[in-house]
Structure formats: structure tokens, C-alpha cells
Amino acid sequence: MPILKSSPSQLAIHGGGPAAFESKLPAFTANAGDGRRFAELAERMFLATEAPGSLAAEFERKLAAWFQVGNVVGFSSNRAAVQAVHKALGDGGKVFAPAFGSASFPIESATDIECEPFTFGMSPAGLAEQLREDATAVFALNPLGRTCMIEDLQDICDEWGVPLFFSSPQSFGCSYKGDRLGRFGHAEIFELGRDQLVHAMDAAIIVTDDDLLAHRLRVSRAEKEDRVDPAMSDAAAAMGIANLESIPGFIEANQARYETYAEHLRDLPGITLVRHSPESTYQCVAIEVNRSDAGLTKDSLYDILAAENVGSVKAVDSRAFAGPPVSARLANSLLRLPSGPHMTEESIIAVCKLVELAIVRSLESPDPLQMAA
């Protein structure tokens, strides 16, 4: 049971007593479907009559029907999936990726494109300015469980004849103008880690209607690199199937937690809760910290929460911190708050109170070093 602190002087980082949470509150915990269903599926892996890979193939078929697409190809990780796409495209030509969230695309040669401030996705204007005939592919991002400017990016790529790929962290199950993600661009990549709507042991999937691309991906997946198997395991598939069948309950619980955050973070100076559309799954809870109004930086708030045993996540990789202006601002201001089934209403209220007290403290007695950061 958390301590509900009522005064800035009680913050642990300032020597105000014990942490609000007795033990570490994780930044996120995985959604968990029916354990009996998972056990039933997992048991099949030990049957002599069950061919290796059959559960993974079954999961791919179920996902293809769920997304209403022709092909789903499973991989052991997001990195393996992105590298398979890159390999399928062949050598030569430039690859473009968003400056904000570029860690989703582990491609060293990618050219960063500025992001726009509303969806946090790749800027269509920025892409149009840099896209050329020698481009091999564009990798766009649907960040933080929201959608980018999908149609505008698609129009630009179509004009240049360049394939467009999407990565959608925390966006599994989201829709865009009535159509479920997974049906846009040349293909879409979804991570299935523990902070995603559907957890499948950190595996990943590529969703596409391009049969030739799907064939190339499967050929690439069959080749081990440094003796590492890039294919999705049957164990991951068993977990994925069980969790896929529980999606409606996950979304309902996510929305309830998000609305509790929205209620208790409302009107805090310098704190903006990242909004979700009604087509979202509310899988991600993030705030934007405006240090001019809040009196502290995102990093300072992260440290204050950590001292209270509250896990939070800095939203992007460090590459964007010195990038183009909008991307750098987002990298320096966005913080993901704890989310997942472990977050009770009581825990959420305690976390929101800590954010409020951190701001009050910083506005009353601003730290010159924080303000200069």
C-alpha cells in the first residue's frame, strides 16, 4: 500500500522520509490472458505428434485473420524483423527513418527525418524535402500507441515509388480512420514485448499483403546469423495466442487506468498527458514535461520518481536528443509513466500526487542547476 504524500517536504529525494512505495513499482507489467489456455497450448510442444513450428504457424494464421491481411511472418525480436525487411529490400539506396524513435529501426545507415509536433510521427514535409529517386525504403513510426500522418506519408512515397514500412510500438490493435493498423504501407512491424498490448515473449511480427515480400522474409528467417535463430518460437506463439484472445479485456482495463491518470494529472502546470484517440488501445501512458512551466526537467522528474521506487521510462533513444528541433524537444520532454495490470487506482493516484509535489517543490524553490539544464 503506497504512502500518499501531501507535502513537497516529504519527497524522498529531498530527505523527506521513506519512499512512497515500499518496493520497486515497475514501469510496466505484461497483460496476461487466460493461464489455462496458455498451458493447454504450451503442452502441445511436448507431444511427439506436434511438429516444431506448428504453434508459430497457427499464431501467424490467427493474426492474419485478425488483421484481415494476406501474410503475417513471426520473428524472435523487433531487431530480427527490421533486419529481415532491410535484407529483403536488397543493397543500395538510402533508407529514411524518423529522428524521434529511431531505436525502433536498428539500421545504422538510416537518414533521420524531422518529426511533427502533434502526432510525434515523421513529418511529411520533412520527408518530401529529402526523399530522392535513390531511396530504398521509408520506415515510419506510429509512436506511443498513437498514429502518425499515415495518408500523407503514403502519398509522398507513392509519388516517388518508394515502399513505406511502419513500426507501431504500443499500437497493436489501434485503428486509423476506422481501419485497424496492420493494413497500411508496404508492411507493418509490431513488437510483442511485455509493454505491448499482446505479449509474446518479446517476439515481433511483420504484417503485409505483399506475397513476394512475405516469401523473402520467410527465406531470410530460415537463415541463422551467428547461430541465433530469428524465427518466432512456439513458446512465444503459445503465449501470443492466449493473449490475443483476451484483447477486449486488456483494452477496457487500459482505458480505465488512462482515465484515472487523466483525472489526477489535470491542470498540473507544465504537465501534458499525451492524448489518445477513441481508436487507441490506451496501452501507453506518457506525459510531456514543459520545464518552463513545471519548474523542472523530464530527467529531474524521472529521478524524483525513482527515489520513490516508481519506475518510469524515458521515451526514446539518445540519438534524438541532439537531432532536429521538434525531435529533440520530444526526446527531452516525454516520459512514460507506470502502466499495466499491476497499477491499481490507488497506485496511480499516489504516482500523480508525486508528480504534483515535484512540481510544487520546483516552483517554490527552483534548483538553478535544473533550470539551466
PDB file of all heavy atoms in Angstrom, residues 73 75 78-90 139 206 213 216-221 230:
ATOM      1  N   VAL A  73       4.318 -12.744 -40.697  1.00  0.00           N
ATOM      2  CA  VAL A  73       5.561 -13.505 -40.545  1.00  0.00           C
ATOM      3  C   VAL A  73       6.138 -13.195 -39.171  1.00  0.00           C
ATOM      4  O   VAL A  73       6.385 -12.024 -38.845  1.00  0.00           O
ATOM      5  CB  VAL A  73       6.581 -13.146 -41.645  1.00  0.00           C
ATOM      6  CG1 VAL A  73       7.815 -14.040 -41.530  1.00  0.00           C
ATOM      7  CG2 VAL A  73       5.953 -13.280 -43.028  1.00  0.00           C
ATOM      8  N   PHE A  75       8.860 -13.274 -35.954  1.00  0.00           N
ATOM      9  CA  PHE A  75      10.301 -13.241 -35.694  1.00  0.00           C
ATOM     10  C   PHE A  75      10.548 -13.280 -34.190  1.00  0.00           C
ATOM     11  O   PHE A  75       9.658 -12.993 -33.393  1.00  0.00           O
ATOM     12  CB  PHE A  75      10.925 -11.990 -36.301  1.00  0.00           C
ATOM     13  CG  PHE A  75      11.000 -12.022 -37.812  1.00  0.00           C
ATOM     14  CD1 PHE A  75       9.917 -11.625 -38.580  1.00  0.00           C
ATOM     15  CD2 PHE A  75      12.137 -12.488 -38.444  1.00  0.00           C
ATOM     16  CE1 PHE A  75       9.974 -11.686 -39.968  1.00  0.00           C
ATOM     17  CE2 PHE A  75      12.208 -12.544 -39.827  1.00  0.00           C
ATOM     18  CZ  PHE A  75      11.125 -12.134 -40.590  1.00  0.00           C
ATOM     19  N   ASN A  78      12.155  -7.626 -32.451  1.00  0.00           N
ATOM     20  CA  ASN A  78      11.961  -6.498 -33.355  1.00  0.00           C
ATOM     21  C   ASN A  78      13.199  -6.297 -34.233  1.00  0.00           C
ATOM     22  O   ASN A  78      13.094  -6.008 -35.429  1.00  0.00           O
ATOM     23  CB  ASN A  78      11.671  -5.229 -32.560  1.00  0.00           C
ATOM     24  CG  ASN A  78      11.430  -4.022 -33.452  1.00  0.00           C
ATOM     25  OD1 ASN A  78      10.408  -3.921 -34.114  1.00  0.00           O
ATOM     26  ND2 ASN A  78      12.369  -3.092 -33.469  1.00  0.00           N
ATOM     27  N   ARG A  79      14.382  -6.425 -33.646  1.00  0.00           N
ATOM     28  CA  ARG A  79      15.618  -6.267 -34.423  1.00  0.00           C
ATOM     29  C   ARG A  79      15.672  -7.262 -35.571  1.00  0.00           C
ATOM     30  O   ARG A  79      16.011  -6.902 -36.717  1.00  0.00           O
ATOM     31  CB  ARG A  79      16.833  -6.434 -33.512  1.00  0.00           C
ATOM     32  CG  ARG A  79      18.170  -6.419 -34.244  1.00  0.00           C
ATOM     33  CD  ARG A  79      19.338  -6.510 -33.281  1.00  0.00           C
ATOM     34  NE  ARG A  79      19.514  -5.249 -32.594  1.00  0.00           N
ATOM     35  CZ  ARG A  79      20.221  -4.232 -33.068  1.00  0.00           C
ATOM     36  NH1 ARG A  79      20.805  -4.330 -34.257  1.00  0.00           N
ATOM     37  NH2 ARG A  79      20.344  -3.122 -32.379  1.00  0.00           N
ATOM     38  N   ALA A  80      15.345  -8.515 -35.287  1.00  0.00           N
ATOM     39  CA  ALA A  80      15.368  -9.537 -36.332  1.00  0.00           C
ATOM     40  C   ALA A  80      14.369  -9.213 -37.435  1.00  0.00           C
ATOM     41  O   ALA A  80      14.652  -9.410 -38.628  1.00  0.00           O
ATOM     42  CB  ALA A  80      15.064 -10.906 -35.724  1.00  0.00           C
ATOM     43  N   ALA A  81      13.205  -8.691 -37.064  1.00  0.00           N
ATOM     44  CA  ALA A  81      12.179  -8.354 -38.053  1.00  0.00           C
ATOM     45  C   ALA A  81      12.636  -7.210 -38.961  1.00  0.00           C
ATOM     46  O   ALA A  81      12.518  -7.281 -40.192  1.00  0.00           O
ATOM     47  CB  ALA A  81      10.874  -7.982 -37.352  1.00  0.00           C
ATOM     48  N   VAL A  82      13.172  -6.143 -38.359  1.00  0.00           N
ATOM     49  CA  VAL A  82      13.628  -4.991 -39.148  1.00  0.00           C
ATOM     50  C   VAL A  82      14.783  -5.394 -40.052  1.00  0.00           C
ATOM     51  O   VAL A  82      14.832  -5.008 -41.236  1.00  0.00           O
ATOM     52  CB  VAL A  82      14.040  -3.824 -38.227  1.00  0.00           C
ATOM     53  CG1 VAL A  82      14.656  -2.692 -39.030  1.00  0.00           C
ATOM     54  CG2 VAL A  82      12.832  -3.314 -37.456  1.00  0.00           C
ATOM     55  N   GLN A  83      15.710  -6.176 -39.543  1.00  0.00           N
ATOM     56  CA  GLN A  83      16.844  -6.600 -40.356  1.00  0.00           C
ATOM     57  C   GLN A  83      16.398  -7.481 -41.511  1.00  0.00           C
ATOM     58  O   GLN A  83      16.971  -7.412 -42.607  1.00  0.00           O
ATOM     59  CB  GLN A  83      17.864  -7.324 -39.475  1.00  0.00           C
ATOM     60  CG  GLN A  83      18.603  -6.394 -38.518  1.00  0.00           C
ATOM     61  CD  GLN A  83      19.572  -7.105 -37.607  1.00  0.00           C
ATOM     62  OE1 GLN A  83      19.463  -8.316 -37.394  1.00  0.00           O
ATOM     63  NE2 GLN A  83      20.524  -6.368 -37.048  1.00  0.00           N
ATOM     64  N   ALA A  84      15.364  -8.286 -41.304  1.00  0.00           N
ATOM     65  CA  ALA A  84      14.845  -9.128 -42.386  1.00  0.00           C
ATOM     66  C   ALA A  84      14.223  -8.277 -43.491  1.00  0.00           C
ATOM     67  O   ALA A  84      14.401  -8.553 -44.677  1.00  0.00           O
ATOM     68  CB  ALA A  84      13.814 -10.116 -41.836  1.00  0.00           C
ATOM     69  N   VAL A  85      13.507  -7.226 -43.094  1.00  0.00           N
ATOM     70  CA  VAL A  85      12.932  -6.311 -44.090  1.00  0.00           C
ATOM     71  C   VAL A  85      14.045  -5.626 -44.869  1.00  0.00           C
ATOM     72  O   VAL A  85      14.008  -5.546 -46.108  1.00  0.00           O
ATOM     73  CB  VAL A  85      12.036  -5.252 -43.409  1.00  0.00           C
ATOM     74  CG1 VAL A  85      11.644  -4.163 -44.410  1.00  0.00           C
ATOM     75  CG2 VAL A  85      10.788  -5.897 -42.838  1.00  0.00           C
ATOM     76  N   HIS A  86      15.041  -5.129 -44.145  1.00  0.00           N
ATOM     77  CA  HIS A  86      16.158  -4.437 -44.789  1.00  0.00           C
ATOM     78  C   HIS A  86      16.863  -5.361 -45.777  1.00  0.00           C
ATOM     79  O   HIS A  86      17.222  -4.956 -46.895  1.00  0.00           O
ATOM     80  CB  HIS A  86      17.130  -3.940 -43.723  1.00  0.00           C
ATOM     81  CG  HIS A  86      18.064  -2.884 -44.215  1.00  0.00           C
ATOM     82  ND1 HIS A  86      19.341  -2.731 -43.720  1.00  0.00           N
ATOM     83  CD2 HIS A  86      17.921  -1.932 -45.173  1.00  0.00           C
ATOM     84  CE1 HIS A  86      19.931  -1.734 -44.339  1.00  0.00           C
ATOM     85  NE2 HIS A  86      19.095  -1.232 -45.221  1.00  0.00           N
ATOM     86  N   LYS A  87      17.054  -6.619 -45.387  1.00  0.00           N
ATOM     87  CA  LYS A  87      17.709  -7.593 -46.253  1.00  0.00           C
ATOM     88  C   LYS A  87      16.855  -7.904 -47.479  1.00  0.00           C
ATOM     89  O   LYS A  87      17.377  -8.040 -48.599  1.00  0.00           O
ATOM     90  CB  LYS A  87      17.983  -8.870 -45.466  1.00  0.00           C
ATOM     91  CG  LYS A  87      18.786  -9.917 -46.227  1.00  0.00           C
ATOM     92  CD  LYS A  87      19.102 -11.101 -45.329  1.00  0.00           C
ATOM     93  CE  LYS A  87      19.915 -12.150 -46.065  1.00  0.00           C
ATOM     94  NZ  LYS A  87      20.229 -13.317 -45.184  1.00  0.00           N
ATOM     95  N   ALA A  88      15.532  -7.981 -47.283  1.00  0.00           N
ATOM     96  CA  ALA A  88      14.631  -8.285 -48.393  1.00  0.00           C
ATOM     97  C   ALA A  88      14.610  -7.180 -49.439  1.00  0.00           C
ATOM     98  O   ALA A  88      14.329  -7.423 -50.615  1.00  0.00           O
ATOM     99  CB  ALA A  88      13.217  -8.523 -47.863  1.00  0.00           C
ATOM    100  N   LEU A  89      14.932  -5.953 -49.018  1.00  0.00           N
ATOM    101  CA  LEU A  89      14.923  -4.826 -49.950  1.00  0.00           C
ATOM    102  C   LEU A  89      16.146  -4.819 -50.846  1.00  0.00           C
ATOM    103  O   LEU A  89      16.153  -4.136 -51.882  1.00  0.00           O
ATOM    104  CB  LEU A  89      14.878  -3.512 -49.156  1.00  0.00           C
ATOM    105  CG  LEU A  89      13.591  -3.254 -48.368  1.00  0.00           C
ATOM    106  CD1 LEU A  89      13.755  -2.024 -47.490  1.00  0.00           C
ATOM    107  CD2 LEU A  89      12.414  -3.086 -49.314  1.00  0.00           C
ATOM    108  N   GLY A  90      17.211  -5.537 -50.472  1.00  0.00           N
ATOM    109  CA  GLY A  90      18.421  -5.559 -51.274  1.00  0.00           C
ATOM    110  C   GLY A  90      19.358  -4.419 -50.910  1.00  0.00           C
ATOM    111  O   GLY A  90      19.030  -3.536 -50.120  1.00  0.00           O
ATOM    112  N   PHE A 139      10.930   4.118 -43.398  1.00  0.00           N
ATOM    113  CA  PHE A 139      10.425   3.469 -42.199  1.00  0.00           C
ATOM    114  C   PHE A 139       9.809   4.548 -41.317  1.00  0.00           C
ATOM    115  O   PHE A 139      10.516   5.419 -40.807  1.00  0.00           O
ATOM    116  CB  PHE A 139      11.545   2.763 -41.441  1.00  0.00           C
ATOM    117  CG  PHE A 139      12.055   1.522 -42.105  1.00  0.00           C
ATOM    118  CD1 PHE A 139      13.066   1.591 -43.055  1.00  0.00           C
ATOM    119  CD2 PHE A 139      11.519   0.285 -41.788  1.00  0.00           C
ATOM    120  CE1 PHE A 139      13.535   0.448 -43.667  1.00  0.00           C
ATOM    121  CE2 PHE A 139      11.981  -0.871 -42.398  1.00  0.00           C
ATOM    122  CZ  PHE A 139      12.993  -0.788 -43.344  1.00  0.00           C
ATOM    123  N   ILE A 206       5.670  -9.220 -38.715  1.00  0.00           N
ATOM    124  CA  ILE A 206       5.551  -8.337 -39.876  1.00  0.00           C
ATOM    125  C   ILE A 206       4.254  -8.700 -40.581  1.00  0.00           C
ATOM    126  O   ILE A 206       4.010  -9.867 -40.901  1.00  0.00           O
ATOM    127  CB  ILE A 206       6.747  -8.478 -40.827  1.00  0.00           C
ATOM    128  CG1 ILE A 206       8.036  -8.101 -40.098  1.00  0.00           C
ATOM    129  CG2 ILE A 206       6.553  -7.609 -42.066  1.00  0.00           C
ATOM    130  CD1 ILE A 206       9.291  -8.313 -40.926  1.00  0.00           C
ATOM    131  N   LEU A 213       7.084 -10.190 -50.818  1.00  0.00           N
ATOM    132  CA  LEU A 213       7.833  -9.751 -49.644  1.00  0.00           C
ATOM    133  C   LEU A 213       7.752 -10.796 -48.543  1.00  0.00           C
ATOM    134  O   LEU A 213       8.757 -11.113 -47.892  1.00  0.00           O
ATOM    135  CB  LEU A 213       7.302  -8.412 -49.144  1.00  0.00           C
ATOM    136  CG  LEU A 213       7.902  -7.916 -47.818  1.00  0.00           C
ATOM    137  CD1 LEU A 213       9.397  -7.660 -47.960  1.00  0.00           C
ATOM    138  CD2 LEU A 213       7.179  -6.659 -47.333  1.00  0.00           C
ATOM    139  N   ARG A 216      10.118 -13.589 -49.244  1.00  0.00           N
ATOM    140  CA  ARG A 216      11.503 -13.202 -48.980  1.00  0.00           C
ATOM    141  C   ARG A 216      11.794 -13.151 -47.474  1.00  0.00           C
ATOM    142  O   ARG A 216      12.884 -13.523 -47.026  1.00  0.00           O
ATOM    143  CB  ARG A 216      11.797 -11.842 -49.617  1.00  0.00           C
ATOM    144  CG  ARG A 216      11.862 -11.894 -51.144  1.00  0.00           C
ATOM    145  CD  ARG A 216      12.003 -10.503 -51.723  1.00  0.00           C
ATOM    146  NE  ARG A 216      12.198 -10.555 -53.167  1.00  0.00           N
ATOM    147  CZ  ARG A 216      12.147  -9.502 -53.971  1.00  0.00           C
ATOM    148  NH1 ARG A 216      11.911  -8.287 -53.441  1.00  0.00           N
ATOM    149  NH2 ARG A 216      12.352  -9.631 -55.268  1.00  0.00           N
ATOM    150  N   LEU A 217      10.827 -12.692 -46.714  1.00  0.00           N
ATOM    151  CA  LEU A 217      11.005 -12.624 -45.259  1.00  0.00           C
ATOM    152  C   LEU A 217      11.144 -14.022 -44.666  1.00  0.00           C
ATOM    153  O   LEU A 217      11.958 -14.248 -43.760  1.00  0.00           O
ATOM    154  CB  LEU A 217       9.830 -11.896 -44.619  1.00  0.00           C
ATOM    155  CG  LEU A 217       9.706 -10.396 -44.920  1.00  0.00           C
ATOM    156  CD1 LEU A 217       8.395  -9.853 -44.375  1.00  0.00           C
ATOM    157  CD2 LEU A 217      10.885  -9.626 -44.333  1.00  0.00           C
ATOM    158  N   ARG A 218      10.362 -14.955 -45.167  1.00  0.00           N
ATOM    159  CA  ARG A 218      10.434 -16.320 -44.643  1.00  0.00           C
ATOM    160  C   ARG A 218      11.751 -16.987 -45.024  1.00  0.00           C
ATOM    161  O   ARG A 218      12.316 -17.752 -44.231  1.00  0.00           O
ATOM    162  CB  ARG A 218       9.241 -17.128 -45.144  1.00  0.00           C
ATOM    163  CG  ARG A 218       7.908 -16.673 -44.533  1.00  0.00           C
ATOM    164  CD  ARG A 218       6.751 -17.603 -44.868  1.00  0.00           C
ATOM    165  NE  ARG A 218       5.539 -17.166 -44.185  1.00  0.00           N
ATOM    166  CZ  ARG A 218       4.534 -16.524 -44.778  1.00  0.00           C
ATOM    167  NH1 ARG A 218       4.592 -16.255 -46.086  1.00  0.00           N
ATOM    168  NH2 ARG A 218       3.469 -16.152 -44.083  1.00  0.00           N
ATOM    169  N   VAL A 219      12.242 -16.693 -46.229  1.00  0.00           N
ATOM    170  CA  VAL A 219      13.545 -17.228 -46.639  1.00  0.00           C
ATOM    171  C   VAL A 219      14.641 -16.664 -45.743  1.00  0.00           C
ATOM    172  O   VAL A 219      15.516 -17.395 -45.263  1.00  0.00           O
ATOM    173  CB  VAL A 219      13.826 -16.891 -48.124  1.00  0.00           C
ATOM    174  CG1 VAL A 219      15.277 -17.221 -48.470  1.00  0.00           C
ATOM    175  CG2 VAL A 219      12.879 -17.658 -49.034  1.00  0.00           C
ATOM    176  N   SER A 220      14.582 -15.356 -45.494  1.00  0.00           N
ATOM    177  CA  SER A 220      15.565 -14.713 -44.623  1.00  0.00           C
ATOM    178  C   SER A 220      15.485 -15.258 -43.209  1.00  0.00           C
ATOM    179  O   SER A 220      16.520 -15.476 -42.555  1.00  0.00           O
ATOM    180  CB  SER A 220      15.330 -13.196 -44.618  1.00  0.00           C
ATOM    181  OG  SER A 220      16.192 -12.546 -43.716  1.00  0.00           O
ATOM    182  N   ARG A 221      14.280 -15.504 -42.731  1.00  0.00           N
ATOM    183  CA  ARG A 221      14.075 -16.006 -41.365  1.00  0.00           C
ATOM    184  C   ARG A 221      14.662 -17.392 -41.170  1.00  0.00           C
ATOM    185  O   ARG A 221      15.040 -17.772 -40.051  1.00  0.00           O
ATOM    186  CB  ARG A 221      12.570 -16.011 -41.070  1.00  0.00           C
ATOM    187  CG  ARG A 221      12.213 -16.403 -39.667  1.00  0.00           C
ATOM    188  CD  ARG A 221      10.712 -16.392 -39.469  1.00  0.00           C
ATOM    189  NE  ARG A 221      10.018 -17.374 -40.292  1.00  0.00           N
ATOM    190  CZ  ARG A 221       8.711 -17.589 -40.274  1.00  0.00           C
ATOM    191  NH1 ARG A 221       7.940 -16.851 -39.476  1.00  0.00           N
ATOM    192  NH2 ARG A 221       8.159 -18.504 -41.039  1.00  0.00           N
ATOM    193  N   PRO A 230      16.333 -16.417 -35.898  1.00  0.00           N
ATOM    194  CA  PRO A 230      15.475 -15.231 -35.942  1.00  0.00           C
ATOM    195  C   PRO A 230      13.984 -15.545 -35.971  1.00  0.00           C
ATOM    196  O   PRO A 230      13.159 -14.624 -35.974  1.00  0.00           O
ATOM    197  CB  PRO A 230      15.902 -14.550 -37.252  1.00  0.00           C
ATOM    198  CG  PRO A 230      16.332 -15.677 -38.130  1.00  0.00           C
ATOM    199  CD  PRO A 230      16.941 -16.704 -37.208  1.00  0.00           C
TER     200      PRO A 230
END
